Amino acid sequence: MPLTVQDVDRFEASRPRLEAIAYRLLGSASEAEDAVQDTFLRWQAADVDRIEVPEAWLTKALTNLCLNQLTSARARRETYVGEWLPEPLLTGDRMLGPADTAEQRDSVSYAVLTLMERLSPNERAVYVLREAFGYPHREIAEILDLTEAAAQQIFHRAKKHIAHGRTRTEIDGAAARRIVEEFLAAATSGRTEPLVRLLTEDAVAIGDGGGKVPARAKAFEGALAVAKFMRGLFKPSKAKRNIAGGSPDVHVTTANGAPAVLAVIDGRVIGVMCLEITPEGIAAFRNQVNPDKLERATRRWAASDHGEPLFRAF
């Protein structure tokens, strides 16, 4: 039986929430869009008149599709070239979803999305549905075909894994931007010492080039190693201009709710560096330069009022 206009409208009303759930589960905007579209196809094939709670039905269908995707993604990421990082989303992207509470903002942060890669598919699903969307354990159990007690246990285990990997901190937006600008000034100074002072002792720098753009296969670890890397990264050279296709404009913005540095050439985003800032200093740099994961950021950047760049690199 074909869908009525009301049935399609009902699905479209749920689309933003479904996209936000799928993005958190998969760490990829393009894969999230595909999962939501597959959910629509299932909705189209269902006898919707017999579905009592459409929102619950759609959430279950989407979550199961994402769980299947996560299982196959694990195998793909074992053969991924270099480090794997999520696809960054710039401020204003509806796929970021709700950001009313600290838990919701945290669940879509680049740091937590990266840490969620350590979780099993079930742990990730329970964590996202509970932490970001406030689903009761009873509903989560129904979505995942678990007992309520099992859902609670999985959630506590997942939360413990995430907490073990980081300390949740919220830094005032103006203060965060000031720290990013201090970092960029230090990184372009040609000196290592000012950079070291801005970093935590155990700071890390991770890059994802996907085998398409040069990026170190292993993370840089420790303040001195990270500072030397950043000093070299911002040092002008003809080789860098050739790889990038020109001299990128550098902007300070926000990605996944946290401070980020954007490199843009002719309106095309070629790099998004997400910073994890703590009261002790900058704890991590996660640099996405894989062009396949920057297409959505480029579209969002083109549609936004982003002002003048801080400077032109290289």
Side-chain angles (χ1 to χ4, degrees):
M1 188 177 190
L3 294 180
T4 66
V5 172
Q6 289 80 7
D7 295 332
V8 174
D9 288 346
R10 190 177 294 169
F11 181 87
E12 290 303 323
S14 293
R15 186 183 288 273
R17 179 180 56 84
L18 295 174
E19 285 183 345
I21 292 172
Y23 173 69
R24 283 167 168 82
L25 288 176
L26 300 173
S28 163
S30 58
E31 290 179 7
E33 286 178 332
D34 290 344
V36 172
Q37 190 56 32
D38 287 344
T39 304
F40 176 73
L41 294 177
R42 292 194 174 191
W43 175 249
Q44 202 171 30
D47 185 354
V48 296
D49 289 337
R50 301 185 65 180
I51 297 173
E52 293 182 11
V53 187
E55 181 182 287
W57 189 96
L58 290 169
T59 303
K60 181 166 185 169
L62 174 82
T63 302
N64 285 326
L65 284 165
C66 289
L67 288 175
N68 291 338
Q69 183 79 358
L70 281 171
T71 302
S72 60
R74 285 193 156 202
R76 290 200 311 275
R77 284 168 197 170
E78 286 177 7
T79 59
Y80 191 82
V81 179
E83 297 276 358
W84 186 95
L85 289 174
E87 185 176 342
L89 298 182
L90 303 186
T91 298
D93 194 312
R94 76 175 189 182
M95 205 174 273
L96 288 168
D100 300 325
T101 67
E103 289 78 14
Q104 289 171 339
R105 291 189 292 275
D106 211 42
S107 70
V108 80
S109 72
Y110 217 58
V112 168
L113 284 175
T114 304
L115 286 171
M116 279 200 279
E117 288 295 306
R118 303 177 184 178
L119 304 180
S120 71
N122 259 11
E123 285 174 339
R124 188 163 183 162
V126 171
Y127 182 83
V128 166
L129 291 172
R130 179 65 181 166
E131 192 80 344
F133 295 90
Y135 278 84
H137 286 296
R138 175 182 51 78
E139 289 185 30
I140 294 172
E142 290 172 1
I143 289 169
L144 297 173
D145 294 323
L146 302 167
T147 65
E148 188 172 344
Q152 289 177 325
Q153 189 176 27
I154 290 170
F155 173 69
H156 291 305
R157 189 165 66 234
K159 198 166 184 179
K160 188 176 180 182
H161 285 322
I162 297 293
H164 181 70
R166 75 189 293 265
T167 302
R168 176 187 288 161
T169 54
E170 292 215 46
I171 306 293
D172 169 73
R177 183 182 177 91
R178 198 160 53 245
I179 292 169
V180 177
E181 290 177 349
E182 285 178 23
F183 154 69
L184 288 170
T188 54
S189 71
R191 296 168 55 229
T192 304
E193 295 80 9
L195 274 168
V196 172
R197 288 197 293 271
L198 291 172
L199 309 179
T200 61
E201 286 185 14
D202 58 352
V204 297
I206 305 165
D208 177 353
K212 300 187 176 186
V213 173
R216 181 181 162 96
K218 284 188 67 179
F220 290 91
E221 298 181 355
L224 184 58
V226 171
K228 287 180 177 178
F229 165 66
M230 289 297 167
R231 184 191 65 192
L233 181 66
F234 284 92
K235 187 177 181 180
S237 77
K238 185 177 179 181
K240 287 177 190 163
R241 288 192 294 274
N242 288 340
I243 291 171
S247 297
D249 290 330
V250 176
H251 295 260
V252 178
T253 187
T254 305
N256 293 75
V261 177
L262 249 72
V264 184
I265 295 179
D266 296 330
R268 177 173 55 91
V269 176
I270 66 161
V272 179
M273 180 186 290
C274 298
L275 282 70
E276 185 177 351
I277 299 176
T278 72
E280 291 75 39
I282 303 171
F285 300 88
R286 297 180 176 91
N287 194 18
Q288 184 57 262
V289 292
N290 183 344
D292 293 344
K293 298 183 183 182
L294 295 173
E295 292 177 3
R296 189 179 180 96
T298 293
R299 292 196 300 271
R300 179 66 204 162
W301 187 248
S304 65
D305 180 14
H306 38 70
E308 294 298 312
L310 275 185
F311 60 89
R312 179 161 285 184
F314 310 158

